[in-house]
Amino acid sequence: MEPFRTLHSRTVVLAQQNIDTDQIIPARFLKITHRAGLGRWLFADWRYQPDGNPRPDFILERPEAQGARVLVAGDNFGCGSSREHAPWALTDWGFRAIISSSIADIFSNNAVKNGLLPVRVDAGFHRRLLAEPGAEVSIDLEHRTVTLSDGTSAMFPLDPFARYCLMNGVDELGFLLGQEEAITRFEEARS
């Protein structure tokens, strides 16, 4: 996993509320157990017409979305069932952070474990981001801030262990494996 310290990006805005994990990545794409290529199916039911052709008016199909690494979403993003495929699809498309005023806890946990930063901001800051698609933002994970190009910023909460893992590019298992020497010393002292 790539370490996350700071991110400077344009935003993509998907203002719908209650975007659940089945809308992020429909269940019919959950048959695979690897991440590569899932970005193609991100928001598939909204992104593609019944004949399989892209909807040119859907935000991810528009030129201004290309290269953006921050998704600003409506309230209650990532609700619904727990599926790791949702953050896999988002990161495979290129997103590194999701900003909303509320993000489902299970989705947030899955996101962090897969290198995707869930950023919860206050309602006023969130409304401003929703109203300014393509806004340039800077996210500083060390200080837990999101800053707009005019200097306006907001702080966001994040569990200290999740922050540590993201900043160091490790998941929970990677963290534990990094403690092998300390674990060995502990086990030897117990013997």
Side-chain angles (χ1 to χ4, degrees):
M1 184 163 54
E2 180 183 340
F4 191 124
R5 299 222 176 239
T6 59
L7 176 65
H8 308 284
S9 176
R10 284 178 291 103
T11 62
V12 171
V13 172
L14 191 57
Q16 283 90 337
Q17 294 185 23
N18 304 311
I19 297 174
D20 66 38
T21 53
D22 196 51
Q23 291 161 325
I24 296 169
I25 183 78
R28 66 187 175 278
F29 302 111
L30 303 184
K31 296 174 185 165
I32 62 171
T33 57
H34 53 84
R35 307 165 195 223
L38 275 178
R40 175 177 179 220
W41 304 116
L42 181 62
F43 302 116
D45 290 341
W46 296 342
R47 216 168 137 191
Y48 299 104
Q49 299 174 40
D51 65 5
N53 287 313
R55 294 180 194 276
D57 60 334
F58 186 71
I59 187 60
L60 296 186
E61 296 301 322
R62 297 190 7 212
E64 60 267 28
Q66 303 314 303
R69 305 198 68 197
V70 176
L71 175 66
V72 176
D75 295 329
N76 199 27
F77 184 81
C79 57
S81 63
S82 172
R83 58 181 68 169
E84 207 164 18
H85 292 68
W88 288 357
L90 288 156
T91 57
D92 189 62
W93 192 86
F95 290 119
R96 288 297 315 270
I98 307 296
I99 301 176
S100 182
S101 58
S102 60
I103 302 172
D105 288 340
I106 293 173
F107 175 84
S108 292
N109 289 332
N110 284 335
V112 166
K113 292 174 186 177
N114 288 284
L116 182 66
L117 176 62
V119 178
R120 290 180 187 93
V121 294
D122 66 78
F125 194 82
H126 183 234
R127 277 192 300 277
R128 179 163 177 197
L129 285 171
L130 290 171
E132 297 179 24
E136 293 284 336
V137 297
S138 294
I139 299 173
D140 181 332
L141 184 52
E142 183 176 355
H143 296 102
R144 295 178 297 114
T145 58
V146 180
T147 306
L148 301 174
S149 58
D150 69 359
T152 305
S153 67
M155 290 194 72
F156 60 90
L158 190 64
D159 173 79
F161 181 67
R163 183 171 155 256
Y164 174 89
C165 287
L166 283 168
M167 290 182 70
N168 290 283
V170 296
D171 60 12
E172 292 166 333
L173 180 57
F175 173 81
L176 288 174
L177 291 173
Q179 304 302 312
E180 185 176 5
E181 191 175 301
I183 293 168
T184 301
R185 280 193 314 271
F186 175 80
E187 292 295 331
E188 287 172 353
R190 276 186 43 189
S191 305

